[in-house]
Amino acid sequence: MMIAEMASRLMLVAPWPLLAAGVVVGVGADRHPRLMRAATTGAAWFALACAILAAVAYGLGATGSETYLSLHLPARLGALAVSVDADVLTIIMLTLVAFVGMIVARYSKTYMDGDEHEGRFHRWLALTLGSFLTLIVAGNVWGFWVSWVATSLCLHELLALYRDRPGAECHPLQHRDSLPLWEA
């Protein structure tokens, strides 16, 4: 593999283990929390390693855009393409998000230990992080949009993990008591 292609390929594969961990391993997430925790943490480390190696490859001269698959859409809507743009901003964002994702995965390994929803938490963390990394490296508007929607849906599930807690899904405007004094 040439250096010029190396950065974009590393950026392309960085989110794959996270998405695979969330989809495949995450099916029985609450039944196998240790497996889900190990898969998410390992995939987060892999994403960080890919981001660092892509940064090194970019520093050695790997620039440009790579398109790996392109499906033409009807009615002049363009093409849904799997493409990656290797530029400074993308490399920095990929490395930053992969680093923060690895820290969150590592921290939650001990913080969530023994929680009844630990497996589900790690599943949605893996899917959110994988979707967000895909969003960062998307080199196409349609790919960006699909990744944006996936990130939003996965993040919602992650934030609404404890739906059974009082006030977890309560909108503040539904209760007059929760309004600030100047609006009551």
Side-chain angles (χ1 to χ4, degrees):
M1 176 180 358
M2 306 225 9
I3 294 285
E5 301 167 347
M6 191 171 178
S8 66
R9 289 185 182 172
L10 285 166
M11 292 166 61
L12 179 69
V13 301
W16 290 0
L18 287 159
L19 296 172
V23 172
V24 177
V25 180
V27 171
D30 278 341
R31 289 190 308 261
H32 307 287
R34 288 185 180 174
L35 176 64
M36 195 66 231
R37 176 177 49 200
T40 301
T41 305
W45 277 104
F46 177 81
L48 180 60
C50 284
I52 292 170
L53 289 173
V56 169
Y58 183 79
L60 294 174
T63 61
S65 176
E66 292 280 329
T67 301
Y68 297 98
L69 175 71
S70 181
L71 301 170
H72 294 286
L73 299 174
R76 291 195 269 170
L77 290 174
L80 178 61
V82 177
S83 62
V84 175
D85 289 329
D87 58 11
V88 176
L89 181 61
T90 306
I91 295 283
I92 290 171
M93 286 296 296
L94 181 71
T95 307
L96 178 68
V97 171
F99 179 69
V100 170
M102 183 275 304
I103 288 177
V104 170
R106 177 61 188 100
Y107 175 76
S108 64
K109 192 173 175 179
T110 54
Y111 180 76
M112 295 293 291
D113 190 29
D115 190 276
E116 65 178 316
H117 300 301
E118 179 185 4
R120 197 164 38 132
F121 171 81
H122 286 289
R123 176 187 190 189
W124 291 114
L125 177 64
L127 287 172
T128 301
L129 186 56
S131 298
F132 195 63
L133 291 175
T134 304
L135 174 80
I136 291 169
V137 301
N140 178 291
V141 172
W142 289 107
F144 183 84
W145 181 78
V146 168
S147 301
W148 183 284
V149 170
T151 301
S152 298
L153 294 173
C154 295
L155 185 59
H156 169 74
E157 289 297 323
L158 183 62
L159 293 174
L161 189 68
Y162 295 103
R163 289 189 171 108
D164 55 337
R165 290 187 179 173
E169 293 209 15
C170 177
H171 193 275
L173 295 179
Q174 290 177 345
H175 299 286
R176 187 164 175 81
D177 297 337
S178 66
L179 292 175
L181 291 176
W182 62 85
E183 293 181 15

Short mmCIF file of all heavy atoms in Angstrom, two decimals, residues 4-37:
data_model
loop_
_atom_site.label_atom_id
_atom_site.label_comp_id
_atom_site.label_asym_id
_atom_site.label_seq_id
_atom_site.Cartn_x
_atom_site.Cartn_y
_atom_site.Cartn_z
N ALA A 4 0.40 7.40 0.02
CA ALA A 4 -0.68 8.31 -0.38
C ALA A 4 -2.05 7.73 -0.09
O ALA A 4 -2.99 8.45 0.23
CB ALA A 4 -0.55 8.64 -1.87
N GLU A 5 -2.20 6.43 -0.17
CA GLU A 5 -3.49 5.78 0.10
C GLU A 5 -3.65 5.37 1.56
O GLU A 5 -4.75 5.10 2.01
CB GLU A 5 -3.63 4.55 -0.79
CG GLU A 5 -3.56 4.84 -2.26
CD GLU A 5 -3.40 3.57 -3.09
OE1 GLU A 5 -3.09 2.52 -2.51
OE2 GLU A 5 -3.56 3.67 -4.31
N MET A 6 -2.55 5.29 2.25
CA MET A 6 -2.56 4.75 3.61
C MET A 6 -3.41 5.57 4.58
O MET A 6 -4.17 5.02 5.37
CB MET A 6 -1.14 4.64 4.13
CG MET A 6 -0.98 3.88 5.38
SD MET A 6 0.79 3.74 5.52
CE MET A 6 1.05 2.94 6.97
N ALA A 7 -3.29 6.88 4.55
CA ALA A 7 -4.03 7.73 5.49
C ALA A 7 -5.53 7.57 5.29
O ALA A 7 -6.27 7.39 6.26
CB ALA A 7 -3.63 9.19 5.32
N SER A 8 -6.00 7.61 4.05
CA SER A 8 -7.44 7.51 3.82
C SER A 8 -7.97 6.13 4.17
O SER A 8 -9.08 6.00 4.67
CB SER A 8 -7.79 7.88 2.38
OG SER A 8 -7.26 6.94 1.48
N ARG A 9 -7.19 5.09 3.92
CA ARG A 9 -7.64 3.74 4.28
C ARG A 9 -7.70 3.55 5.80
O ARG A 9 -8.61 2.91 6.31
CB ARG A 9 -6.75 2.69 3.63
CG ARG A 9 -6.98 2.62 2.15
CD ARG A 9 -6.22 1.53 1.49
NE ARG A 9 -6.46 1.58 0.05
CZ ARG A 9 -5.83 0.87 -0.83
NH1 ARG A 9 -4.90 0.01 -0.43
NH2 ARG A 9 -6.11 0.98 -2.10
N LEU A 10 -6.73 4.09 6.50
CA LEU A 10 -6.76 4.01 7.96
C LEU A 10 -7.95 4.79 8.52
O LEU A 10 -8.61 4.35 9.46
CB LEU A 10 -5.46 4.55 8.55
CG LEU A 10 -4.26 3.63 8.43
CD1 LEU A 10 -2.96 4.39 8.74
CD2 LEU A 10 -4.40 2.42 9.34
N MET A 11 -8.23 5.94 7.92
CA MET A 11 -9.38 6.74 8.35
C MET A 11 -10.69 6.02 8.05
O MET A 11 -11.65 6.12 8.81
CB MET A 11 -9.34 8.11 7.67
CG MET A 11 -8.19 8.97 8.12
SD MET A 11 -7.90 10.40 7.08
CE MET A 11 -9.43 11.27 7.22
N LEU A 12 -10.72 5.30 6.93
CA LEU A 12 -11.93 4.57 6.55
C LEU A 12 -12.23 3.43 7.51
O LEU A 12 -13.38 3.23 7.89
CB LEU A 12 -11.78 4.04 5.12
CG LEU A 12 -12.95 3.24 4.57
CD1 LEU A 12 -14.15 4.14 4.35
CD2 LEU A 12 -12.55 2.54 3.29
N VAL A 13 -11.21 2.67 7.93
CA VAL A 13 -11.45 1.49 8.76
C VAL A 13 -11.52 1.79 10.25
O VAL A 13 -11.91 0.92 11.03
CB VAL A 13 -10.41 0.38 8.50
CG1 VAL A 13 -10.43 -0.05 7.06
CG2 VAL A 13 -9.02 0.80 8.92
N ALA A 14 -11.16 3.00 10.67
CA ALA A 14 -11.15 3.32 12.11
C ALA A 14 -12.49 3.06 12.80
O ALA A 14 -12.52 2.48 13.88
CB ALA A 14 -10.70 4.77 12.31
N PRO A 15 -13.65 3.46 12.23
CA PRO A 15 -14.91 3.22 12.93
C PRO A 15 -15.49 1.82 12.79
O PRO A 15 -16.40 1.45 13.53
CB PRO A 15 -15.87 4.24 12.31
CG PRO A 15 -15.27 4.66 11.03
CD PRO A 15 -13.82 4.36 11.10
N TRP A 16 -14.98 1.01 11.88
CA TRP A 16 -15.59 -0.30 11.62
C TRP A 16 -15.69 -1.20 12.85
O TRP A 16 -16.75 -1.78 13.09
CB TRP A 16 -14.85 -1.01 10.50
CG TRP A 16 -15.05 -0.42 9.14
CD1 TRP A 16 -15.82 0.68 8.82
CD2 TRP A 16 -14.48 -0.86 7.92
NE1 TRP A 16 -15.74 0.94 7.48
CE2 TRP A 16 -14.92 0.01 6.90
CE3 TRP A 16 -13.62 -1.89 7.59
CZ2 TRP A 16 -14.54 -0.14 5.57
CZ3 TRP A 16 -13.25 -2.04 6.27
CH2 TRP A 16 -13.71 -1.19 5.27
N PRO A 17 -14.62 -1.39 13.64
CA PRO A 17 -14.75 -2.27 14.82
C PRO A 17 -15.78 -1.75 15.83
O PRO A 17 -16.46 -2.55 16.48
CB PRO A 17 -13.36 -2.30 15.42
CG PRO A 17 -12.46 -1.94 14.30
CD PRO A 17 -13.23 -0.98 13.45
N LEU A 18 -15.89 -0.43 15.97
CA LEU A 18 -16.88 0.12 16.89
C LEU A 18 -18.29 -0.18 16.41
O LEU A 18 -19.16 -0.59 17.20
CB LEU A 18 -16.68 1.63 17.04
CG LEU A 18 -15.47 2.04 17.85
CD1 LEU A 18 -15.05 3.45 17.53
CD2 LEU A 18 -15.74 1.87 19.32
N LEU A 19 -18.53 0.01 15.12
CA LEU A 19 -19.85 -0.29 14.57
C LEU A 19 -20.15 -1.79 14.64
O LEU A 19 -21.27 -2.19 14.96
CB LEU A 19 -19.94 0.21 13.13
CG LEU A 19 -19.81 1.73 12.96
CD1 LEU A 19 -19.71 2.10 11.49
CD2 LEU A 19 -20.98 2.44 13.62
N ALA A 20 -19.14 -2.61 14.37
CA ALA A 20 -19.33 -4.06 14.46
C ALA A 20 -19.60 -4.49 15.90
O ALA A 20 -20.46 -5.35 16.15
CB ALA A 20 -18.12 -4.79 13.91
N ALA A 21 -18.89 -3.89 16.85
CA ALA A 21 -19.12 -4.23 18.26
C ALA A 21 -20.53 -3.87 18.68
O ALA A 21 -21.19 -4.62 19.40
CB ALA A 21 -18.10 -3.52 19.15
N GLY A 22 -21.01 -2.72 18.24
CA GLY A 22 -22.35 -2.29 18.61
C GLY A 22 -23.44 -3.11 17.96
O GLY A 22 -24.46 -3.41 18.57
N VAL A 23 -23.23 -3.52 16.71
CA VAL A 23 -24.28 -4.25 15.98
C VAL A 23 -24.22 -5.74 16.28
O VAL A 23 -25.23 -6.35 16.65
CB VAL A 23 -24.16 -3.98 14.46
CG1 VAL A 23 -25.10 -4.87 13.68
CG2 VAL A 23 -24.44 -2.52 14.16
N VAL A 24 -23.06 -6.34 16.12
CA VAL A 24 -22.95 -7.80 16.25
C VAL A 24 -22.88 -8.24 17.70
O VAL A 24 -23.70 -9.04 18.15
CB VAL A 24 -21.71 -8.31 15.46
CG1 VAL A 24 -21.54 -9.80 15.64
CG2 VAL A 24 -21.84 -7.95 14.00
N VAL A 25 -21.92 -7.71 18.43
CA VAL A 25 -21.75 -8.12 19.83
C VAL A 25 -22.87 -7.55 20.69
O VAL A 25 -23.29 -8.16 21.66
CB VAL A 25 -20.37 -7.67 20.36
CG1 VAL A 25 -20.16 -8.10 21.79
CG2 VAL A 25 -19.25 -8.24 19.48
N GLY A 26 -23.39 -6.39 20.31
CA GLY A 26 -24.38 -5.70 21.13
C GLY A 26 -25.76 -6.29 21.13
O GLY A 26 -26.63 -5.82 21.87
N VAL A 27 -26.01 -7.33 20.34
CA VAL A 27 -27.34 -7.94 20.31
C VAL A 27 -27.77 -8.41 21.69
O VAL A 27 -28.87 -8.16 22.13
CB VAL A 27 -27.39 -9.08 19.26
CG1 VAL A 27 -28.69 -9.85 19.36
CG2 VAL A 27 -27.20 -8.52 17.87
N GLY A 28 -26.91 -9.07 22.40
CA GLY A 28 -27.21 -9.52 23.77
C GLY A 28 -26.38 -8.75 24.77
O GLY A 28 -25.78 -9.34 25.67
N ALA A 29 -26.33 -7.45 24.63
CA ALA A 29 -25.41 -6.62 25.41
C ALA A 29 -25.60 -6.76 26.92
O ALA A 29 -24.61 -6.90 27.65
CB ALA A 29 -25.56 -5.16 25.00
N ASP A 30 -26.83 -6.72 27.41
CA ASP A 30 -27.03 -6.80 28.85
C ASP A 30 -26.82 -8.21 29.40
O ASP A 30 -26.59 -8.39 30.59
CB ASP A 30 -28.43 -6.30 29.22
CG ASP A 30 -28.49 -4.78 29.30
OD1 ASP A 30 -27.42 -4.16 29.43
OD2 ASP A 30 -29.60 -4.22 29.25
N ARG A 31 -26.89 -9.22 28.52
CA ARG A 31 -26.61 -10.60 28.98
C ARG A 31 -25.12 -10.87 29.07
O ARG A 31 -24.69 -11.74 29.81
CB ARG A 31 -27.26 -11.60 28.02
CG ARG A 31 -28.77 -11.63 28.12
CD ARG A 31 -29.34 -12.81 27.35
NE ARG A 31 -28.86 -12.87 25.97
CZ ARG A 31 -29.52 -12.43 24.91
NH1 ARG A 31 -30.71 -11.91 25.06
NH2 ARG A 31 -29.01 -12.54 23.70
N HIS A 32 -24.31 -10.12 28.31
CA HIS A 32 -22.86 -10.33 28.29
C HIS A 32 -22.13 -8.99 28.43
O HIS A 32 -21.45 -8.54 27.51
CB HIS A 32 -22.44 -11.00 26.97
CG HIS A 32 -23.19 -12.24 26.67
ND1 HIS A 32 -22.99 -13.42 27.34
CD2 HIS A 32 -24.17 -12.48 25.76
CE1 HIS A 32 -23.80 -14.34 26.86
NE2 HIS A 32 -24.54 -13.80 25.90
N PRO A 33 -22.26 -8.34 29.59
CA PRO A 33 -21.67 -7.00 29.73
C PRO A 33 -20.14 -6.99 29.65
O PRO A 33 -19.56 -6.05 29.12
CB PRO A 33 -22.15 -6.53 31.10
CG PRO A 33 -22.53 -7.76 31.83
CD PRO A 33 -22.96 -8.75 30.80
N ARG A 34 -19.48 -8.05 30.13
CA ARG A 34 -18.02 -8.07 30.07
C ARG A 34 -17.52 -8.16 28.63
O ARG A 34 -16.55 -7.52 28.27
CB ARG A 34 -17.47 -9.23 30.89
CG ARG A 34 -17.60 -9.01 32.36
CD ARG A 34 -16.95 -10.10 33.14
NE ARG A 34 -17.11 -9.85 34.55
CZ ARG A 34 -16.76 -10.68 35.48
NH1 ARG A 34 -16.21 -11.84 35.16
NH2 ARG A 34 -16.94 -10.37 36.75
N LEU A 35 -18.19 -8.97 27.83
CA LEU A 35 -17.83 -9.08 26.42
C LEU A 35 -18.05 -7.75 25.70
O LEU A 35 -17.20 -7.30 24.93
CB LEU A 35 -18.65 -10.18 25.75
CG LEU A 35 -18.46 -10.35 24.24
CD1 LEU A 35 -17.04 -10.78 23.93
CD2 LEU A 35 -19.45 -11.36 23.70
N MET A 36 -19.16 -7.10 25.99
CA MET A 36 -19.47 -5.82 25.36
C MET A 36 -18.47 -4.76 25.79
O MET A 36 -18.01 -3.95 24.98
CB MET A 36 -20.90 -5.41 25.75
CG MET A 36 -21.47 -4.32 24.91
SD MET A 36 -21.70 -4.84 23.22
CE MET A 36 -20.89 -3.52 22.39
N ARG A 37 -18.10 -4.76 27.07
CA ARG A 37 -17.12 -3.81 27.59
C ARG A 37 -15.77 -4.02 26.93
O ARG A 37 -15.13 -3.06 26.49
CB ARG A 37 -17.01 -3.97 29.10
CG ARG A 37 -15.96 -3.11 29.75
CD ARG A 37 -15.95 -3.26 31.24
NE ARG A 37 -15.92 -4.66 31.64
CZ ARG A 37 -16.28 -5.10 32.82
NH1 ARG A 37 -16.70 -4.27 33.74
NH2 ARG A 37 -16.22 -6.38 33.12
#
